[in-house]
Amino acid sequence: DCRAKCREQCCDEDNDLKEIRDADNPSPTPPPTSGTETLCNGITRKQRASVTFMRLSLISDVGEMYEDGKIDTDTPQGKALQWILSEDERILCPLDNTLEQRYILAVLYYATQGVDWTDQGKWLTEVSECDWVGIDCNFRGEVDTIELPGFNLDGE
């Protein structure tokens, strides 16, 4: 189970300095901060970035997120990854059950020129993605409907 492996490799106190890397795709470099700053039950920003990248690489093409040793912010996937790691005020932990859907919605936002939408209502803010305009979730907090009519979507 990936979640158990991620937790074992990144969150165990004995593995504080362990880096999770795929041999062909090194983990993204997190934004510069104090190396001792911890979050998410004691993991560092670097560990958070590594495990988040590993988890999202299971649902997204790594080549679209990461290139030449850094996050590729020319792609919607790279922009979404950068937002999740550096700008999202929710600061989700890598094993958060909403990480993947939040990332996918951020990819949708960037792929369809979200900055030009007629209604950006809470998109890419600290509130739950279930509270973003046009998004409906079920009782478990899982996105079940996306309705964005008249939003001026543009993209591929």
Side-chain angles (χ1 to χ4, degrees), residues 11-145:
C11 302
D12 187 289
E13 290 177 22
D14 297 330
N15 293 321
D16 276 349
L17 301 177
K18 185 179 251 183
E19 292 183 29
I20 299 170
R21 294 188 182 270
D22 178 308
D24 298 323
N25 299 303
S27 300
T29 304
T33 61
S34 165
T36 59
E37 180 182 8
T38 60
L39 48 134
C40 296
N41 299 320
I43 65 172
T44 66
R45 284 190 177 277
K46 186 171 187 172
Q47 290 167 331
R48 176 180 173 262
S50 295
V51 179
T52 298
F53 176 77
M54 182 174 74
R55 184 165 174 206
L56 295 178
S57 70
L58 298 173
I59 62 167
S60 193
D61 182 1
V62 172
E64 296 294 329
M65 294 190 302
Y66 194 72
E67 186 177 319
D68 296 328
K70 62 181 182 173
I71 296 172
D72 183 359
T73 56
D74 290 334
T75 67
Q77 295 86 345
K79 289 176 183 177
L81 177 62
Q82 180 70 33
W83 177 74
I84 289 282
L85 293 177
S86 303
E87 300 164 36
D88 185 2
E89 293 179 26
R90 282 192 85 120
I91 310 174
L92 294 178
C93 294
L95 301 178
D96 189 290
N97 61 355
T98 64
L99 175 68
E100 291 160 335
Q101 72 181 18
R102 197 162 174 90
Y103 166 77
I104 290 166
L105 290 171
V107 170
L108 173 68
Y109 178 86
Y110 288 115
T112 59
Q113 312 309 316
V115 296
D116 296 329
W117 289 359
T118 54
D119 186 356
Q120 296 177 8
K122 299 184 183 177
W123 277 73
L124 303 191
T125 66
E126 74 282 352
V127 302
S128 167
E129 56 278 7
C130 294
D131 294 327
W132 295 354
V133 171
I135 303 300
D136 288 315
C137 295
N138 62 27
F139 69 95
R140 291 182 302 261
E142 300 164 339
V143 173
D144 61 9
T145 308

